[in-house]
């Protein structure tokens, strides 16, 4: 059964040409390389595999395995059905998705505008503004003053905006976007200008379409930050579990060993009882899914989008 | 992470004819100097307006807290705010420096940072060199896709995964029990904590770290390899004498960044696991500031700890950069000329 695949691989090698001067690696070397690559891949993929399998396993097979399931016996989607029945977890997923969408939108709008505004080499005041931004990479008020400013000065405690606005701007991301925009062909911009386009028009119809790689990658970066954000929830909104996004729910009852709020029977019975493993793992999988969905579309842009301006060469 | 982008942006990255472009720039500058600032302001007002939203957010959430750092010199009172809280002088710092917990957290931070430097830093470099020797483009991109992935997981998720693999009820201990080898709950073992968190950091970030090094390797002139091979250098010699020196600039840069962040060892990661291993092993400066500031409501003390950390970090960045210059590298920013 494996023979055709092997033959295909051998007859159509998807391989770069080995330069004439480079010696072929020894059998031992090839084996070692293959082994170490497989080990690294296994280290990353094996835990994910186990978690997914466990989340789909029946109570019985979890009991047989004595915890995490490696070899599945019986599969069921019971855990997901319980998770997504409209309880706290469902709400948390929706909240997290909304926060991520709104946050990413705000962050991208603000960053793209700012990056474009700073991308013109000799515009008035752009150096001063740039320095204002860069200084924040070296100096920061620290955790507590930020907390005081957001929670007390702006009354952000228990407010959704406190999860978005304080982290909405990443200077690092702006610098990367700016570096990319500065490499947009001068001639294109000049041509647009001659045709009578103003800066808004140039940004919208020339710069944005020509820098898709960086925009997509940055949107992913911002999106992931919002999706993964649990610490700001811990700071600004720890009390009300109907407002929690999914990562914080995960934090609460996988790491604190709390019972799952609103997950079927245990919440009705009203006593703390650790969630069944399959449910815990289902939540873990739920936090993974959006990332895994977006990832393949963005991944091919990483090297281009994330590095421009950082390394020349 | 990279102020270094800004120093180099004036270069002509990726344009086919740098000479022509430079000439264009010079003309621009001359034009700019002829225009007075009023005209330039009018010409560029749209650009400036575009930066305003970001600027407003930065001022509100980065600059206000910077001034809010005066809290370190106050007995901060929740109801009175910054402006009416009584002044404390250096009392917060006195309390901080006489607190053995603080020095314990400081020591922990340094030790953890050192362990991470030794055990974490070389991993992405090695991975990048190894991956670079893989010829199959399909295999390469698959490998990259997989090792980048953990970078996008939250710390909660990573710790959970480790818990399920290595924890008391996890897979490892299950296997140990089945083979009658006793139980070793790594997740709650204070002695193993520094290696545990380093392993977590490697698992999460080492794959992502190879991007920079791969780019550095890609920038090395292939003719060098050919010449070396013609002179009879084998693959190991070529790695040692061409690949590694070719990556030197980036390695030094990453080292400088690492040293500058020596007092930041992974706040969220520690916060999540603090309950499990106890504060003895897991307390670092950041968690100290969090617990004494936010949880114990001693804002002044927490801010003082944060300020201390900030100042020391700044000194570390400057020192590390100086060191990079001493070795003839650019480091984070260039030498002033």
């Amino acid at each position: 059964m494996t023979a055709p695949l092997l033959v295909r691989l051998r007859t159509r090698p998807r391989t770069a040409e080995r330069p004439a001067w480079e010696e072929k690696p020894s059998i031992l070397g090839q084996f070692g390389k293959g082994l170490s690559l497989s080990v690294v891949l296994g280290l990353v993929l094996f835990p994910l595999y186990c978690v997914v399998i466990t989340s789909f396993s029946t109570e019985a097979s979890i009991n047989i395995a004595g915890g995490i399931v490696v070899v599945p016996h019986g599969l069921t989607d019971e855990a997901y059905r319980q998770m997504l029945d409209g309880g706290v977890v469902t709400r948390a997923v929706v909240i997290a998705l909304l926060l991520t969408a709104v946050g990413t939108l705000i962050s991208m709008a603000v960053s793209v505008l700012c990056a474009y505004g700073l991308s013109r080499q000799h515009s008035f005041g752009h150096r001063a503004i740039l320095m204002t931004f860069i200084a924040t990479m070296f100096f920061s008020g620290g955790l507590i003053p930020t907390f005081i400013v957001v929670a007390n000065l702006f009354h952000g405690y228990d407010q959704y905006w406190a999860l978005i606005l304080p982290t909405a701007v990443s200077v690092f991301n702006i610098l990367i976007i700016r570096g990319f925009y500065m490499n947009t062909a001068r001639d294109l911009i000049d041509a647009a200008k001659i045709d009578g386009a103003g800066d808004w028009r140039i940004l919208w119809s020339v710069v944005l379409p020509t820098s898709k790689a960086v925009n997509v990658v940055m949107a992913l970066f911002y999106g992931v930050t919002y999706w993964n954000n649990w610490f700001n929830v811990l700071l600004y909104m720890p009390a009300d579990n109907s407002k929690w996004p999914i990562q914080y729910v995960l934090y609460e009852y996988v790491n604190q060993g709390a019972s799952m709020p609103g997950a079927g029977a245990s919440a009705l019975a009203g006593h703390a009882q650790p969630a069944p493993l399959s449910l815990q793992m289902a939540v873990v999988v739920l936090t993974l899914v959006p990332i895994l969905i977006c990832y393949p579309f963005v991944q091919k842009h990483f090297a281009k989008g994330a590095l421009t301006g950082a390394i020349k060469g | 992470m990279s102020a270094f982008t800004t120093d180099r942006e004036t270069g002509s990255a990726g344009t086919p004819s740098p000479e022509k472009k430079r000439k264009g720039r010079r003309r621009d500058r001359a034009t700019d100097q002829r225009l007075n600032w009023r005209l330039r302001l009018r010409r560029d007002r749209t650009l400036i307006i575009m930066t305003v939203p970001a600027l407003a957010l930065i001022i509100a959430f980065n600059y206000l807290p910077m001034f809010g750092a005066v809290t370190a010199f106050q007995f901060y009172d929740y109801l009175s705010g910054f402006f009416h809280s009584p002044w404390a002088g250096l009392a917060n710092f006195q309390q901080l420096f006489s607190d053995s917990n603080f020095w314990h957290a400081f020591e922990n931070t340094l030790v953890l940072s050192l362990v991470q430097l030794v055990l974490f830093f070389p991993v992405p470099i090695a991975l990048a060199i190894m991956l670079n020797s893989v010829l199959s483009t399909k295999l390469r991109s698959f490998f990259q896709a997989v090792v980048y992935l953990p970078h996008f997981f939250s710390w909660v998720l990573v710790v959970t995964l480790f818990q399920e693999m290595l924890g008391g009820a996890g897979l490892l201990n299950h296997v140990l029990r089945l083979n009658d080898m006793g139980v070793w709950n790594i997740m709650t073992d204070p002695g193993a904590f520094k290696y545990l968190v380093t392993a977590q950091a490697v698992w999460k970030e080492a794959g992502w770290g190879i991007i920079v090094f791969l780019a550095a390797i890609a920038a090395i002139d292939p003719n060098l390899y050919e010449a070396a091979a013609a002179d009879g250098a084998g693959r190991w010699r070529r790695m040692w004498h061409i690949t590694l020196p070719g990556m030197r600039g980036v390695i030094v840069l990453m080292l400088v960044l690492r040293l500058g962040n020596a007092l930041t060892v992974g706040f969220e990661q520690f916060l999540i696991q603090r309950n499990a291993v106890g504060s003895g092993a897991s307390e670092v400066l950041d968690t100290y500031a969090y617990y004494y500031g936010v949880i114990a409501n001693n804002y002044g003390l927490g801010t003082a700890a944060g300020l201390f950390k900030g100042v020391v970090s700044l000194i570390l960045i400057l020192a590390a950069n100086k060191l990079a210059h001493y070795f003839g590298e650019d480091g984070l920013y260039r030498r002033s000329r």
Side-chain angles (χ1 to χ4, degrees):
Chain A
M1 201 182 147
T2 48
L5 180 71
L6 277 178
V7 169
R8 207 168 67 227
L9 283 177
R10 209 171 298 148
T11 46
R12 271 195 297 140
R14 293 289 192 127
T15 306
E17 192 94 352
R18 187 189 303 281
W21 45 265
E22 190 167 319
E23 57 282 80
K24 245 180 113 66
S26 64
I27 299 290
L28 197 70
Q30 265 175 329
F31 180 74
K33 205 193 286 177
L35 188 70
S36 33
L37 283 177
S38 321
V39 166
V40 173
L41 289 182
L43 282 177
V44 176
L45 292 178
F46 181 68
L48 299 181
Y49 160 82
C50 289
V51 164
V52 173
I53 289 295
T54 309
S55 74
F56 279 109
S57 288
T58 52
E59 283 301 310
S61 62
I62 290 179
N63 285 337
I64 295 171
I68 284 286
V69 180
V70 182
V71 186
H73 292 287
L75 294 182
T76 167
D77 60 352
E78 183 58 33
Y80 291 91
R81 231 174 287 151
Q82 275 197 41
M83 286 284 92
L84 299 173
D85 67 348
V88 163
V89 175
T90 320
R91 197 159 49 213
V93 171
V94 174
I95 289 172
L97 284 175
L98 283 176
L99 277 175
T100 306
V102 174
T104 311
L105 215 62
I106 293 177
S107 286
M108 279 308 284
V110 166
S111 310
V112 161
L113 282 181
C114 180
Y116 179 75
L118 296 176
S119 69
R120 210 67 65 70
Q121 278 295 311
H122 300 290
S123 68
F124 181 78
H126 99 282
R127 263 240 152 242
I129 300 176
L130 200 59
M131 281 306 136
T132 316
F133 278 92
I134 290 173
T136 63
M137 296 172 79
F138 288 96
F139 311 97
S140 78
L143 174 70
I144 314 281
T146 311
F147 173 76
I148 296 176
V149 164
V150 175
N152 296 358
L153 201 61
F154 293 140
H155 306 291
Y157 202 78
D158 224 17
Q159 304 285 320
Y160 276 124
W161 68 256
L163 305 184
I164 295 181
L165 293 186
T167 48
V169 184
S170 154
V171 174
F172 183 54
N173 288 356
I174 288 183
L175 290 179
I176 292 178
I177 304 176
R178 171 175 175 266
F180 213 93
Y181 287 179
M182 288 197 311
N183 286 345
T184 310
R186 255 328 259 269
D187 298 342
L188 266 180
I189 294 179
D190 287 343
K193 249 189 222 161
I194 291 170
D195 289 345
D199 279 317
W200 298 98
R201 187 74 212 216
I202 294 175
L203 173 62
W204 186 253
S205 331
V206 178
V207 175
L208 274 185
T210 52
S211 48
K212 227 168 104 193
V214 78
N215 296 332
V216 170
V217 172
M218 288 306 135
L220 178 79
F221 283 6
Y222 277 127
V224 163
T225 318
Y226 287 114
W227 178 257
N228 282 345
N229 182 10
W230 62 277
F231 180 63
N232 279 356
V233 184
L234 178 68
L235 274 183
Y236 301 121
M237 179 175 293
D240 184 358
N241 74 12
S242 67
K243 287 183 167 182
W244 289 346
I246 184 76
Q247 298 277 353
Y248 194 73
V249 174
L250 180 68
Y251 166 72
E252 277 291 328
Y253 70 73
V254 178
N255 291 295
Q256 311 271 53
S259 78
M260 203 154 357
S266 67
L268 289 177
H271 53 79
Q273 168 188 331
L277 194 59
S278 61
L279 290 186
Q280 290 187 12
M281 293 305 107
V283 177
V284 171
V285 174
L286 285 182
T287 65
L288 273 168
V289 166
I291 296 175
L292 292 180
I293 291 177
C294 301
Y295 188 68
F297 298 105
V298 186
Q299 194 252 335
K300 56 176 181 278
H301 298 299
F302 277 162
K304 208 170 154 198
L307 275 179
T308 316
I311 306 262
K312 259 169 62 179
Chain B
M1 184 187 146
S2 78
F4 55 92
T5 43
T6 52
D7 277 326
R8 299 178 170 189
E9 96 264 314
T10 40
S12 50
T15 41
S17 59
E19 212 175 345
K20 198 172 157 196
K21 190 159 183 179
R22 206 176 303 137
K23 217 180 273 169
R25 289 254 165 84
R26 200 175 299 146
R27 202 182 55 226
D28 277 358
R29 197 166 294 144
T31 325
D32 280 343
Q33 274 158 6
R34 264 204 311 282
L35 293 173
N36 72 26
W37 67 270
R38 259 170 225 275
L39 281 174
R40 288 176 62 206
L41 180 59
R42 247 180 75 177
R43 184 191 66 184
D44 297 330
R45 66 178 187 281
T46 328
L47 295 177
I48 294 177
I49 289 171
M50 284 175 171
T51 63
V52 167
L55 207 55
L57 285 172
I58 286 280
I59 287 171
F61 297 112
N62 290 71
Y63 279 92
L64 275 185
M66 273 187 221
F67 298 115
V70 292
T71 315
F73 305 98
Q74 288 178 331
F75 295 115
Y76 183 79
D77 179 5
Y78 184 86
L79 296 173
S80 326
F82 292 129
F83 302 109
H84 305 291
S85 292
W87 287 101
L90 293 175
N92 284 324
F93 286 94
Q94 261 163 14
Q95 193 192 344
L96 189 70
F97 293 141
S98 58
D99 184 358
S100 65
N101 286 333
F102 169 76
W103 290 114
H104 185 68
F106 189 59
E107 185 194 324
N108 263 349
T109 310
L110 289 181
V111 170
L112 282 158
S113 202
L114 188 71
V115 172
Q116 298 213 355
L117 182 69
V118 175
L119 297 182
F120 180 103
F121 191 75
V123 178
I125 302 176
L127 275 180
I129 291 177
M130 183 175 77
L131 188 60
N132 190 55
S133 72
V134 174
L135 280 178
S136 159
T137 41
K138 264 213 163 142
L139 191 60
R140 269 180 84 140
S141 48
F142 176 69
F143 183 83
Q144 275 170 289
V146 171
V147 294
Y148 291 167
L149 191 56
H151 170 75
F152 298 100
F153 298 166
S154 68
W155 272 116
V156 180
L157 184 56
V158 173
V159 173
T160 309
L161 289 178
F162 268 75
Q163 175 77 41
E164 295 309 330
M165 292 295 123
L166 307 178
L171 194 61
L172 175 74
N173 278 305
H174 186 63
V175 173
L176 287 181
R177 261 195 300 271
L178 284 183
N179 296 311
D180 292 324
M181 295 203 288
V183 179
W184 182 28
N185 189 351
I186 303 174
M187 299 297 286
T188 54
D189 182 353
F193 185 70
K194 42 181 177 290
Y195 305 108
L196 174 72
V197 287
T198 310
Q200 288 165 349
V202 168
W203 191 83
K204 188 174 187 290
E205 300 294 349
W208 186 247
I210 68 177
I211 285 194
V212 191
F213 296 113
L214 279 181
I217 293 177
I220 297 173
D221 184 359
N223 289 330
L224 289 175
Y225 286 105
E226 192 174 350
D231 288 344
R235 53 178 65 242
W236 293 103
R237 291 219 131 214
R238 292 201 298 268
M239 184 188 99
W240 184 252
H241 290 292
I242 298 174
T243 311
L244 281 177
M247 299 164 79
R248 197 177 123 139
V250 177
I251 293 178
V252 170
L253 174 66
M254 288 296 150
L255 210 53
V256 168
L257 288 169
R258 182 70 241 142
L259 289 178
N261 284 325
L263 296 190
T264 308
V265 277
F267 176 42
E268 297 192 358
Q269 193 186 356
F270 290 71
L271 201 58
I272 298 169
Q273 299 180 79
R274 193 175 180 269
N275 286 337
V277 287
S279 64
S282 69
E283 192 85 295
V284 290
L285 289 180
D286 284 324
T287 53
Y288 179 90
Y290 175 73
Y291 273 92
Y292 284 80
V294 178
I295 299 294
N297 266 325
N298 196 343
Y299 290 104
L301 187 68
T303 311
L307 197 62
F308 173 77
K309 190 195 142 201
V311 171
V312 177
S313 292
L314 189 63
I315 294 171
L316 279 176
I317 290 183
L318 297 178
N321 218 37
K322 201 99 198 154
L323 207 64
H325 291 169
Y326 179 76
F327 286 116
E329 297 290 344
D330 273 347
L332 199 57
Y333 50 84
R334 283 184 178 173
R335 255 170 293 208
S336 46
R337 306 206 165 107

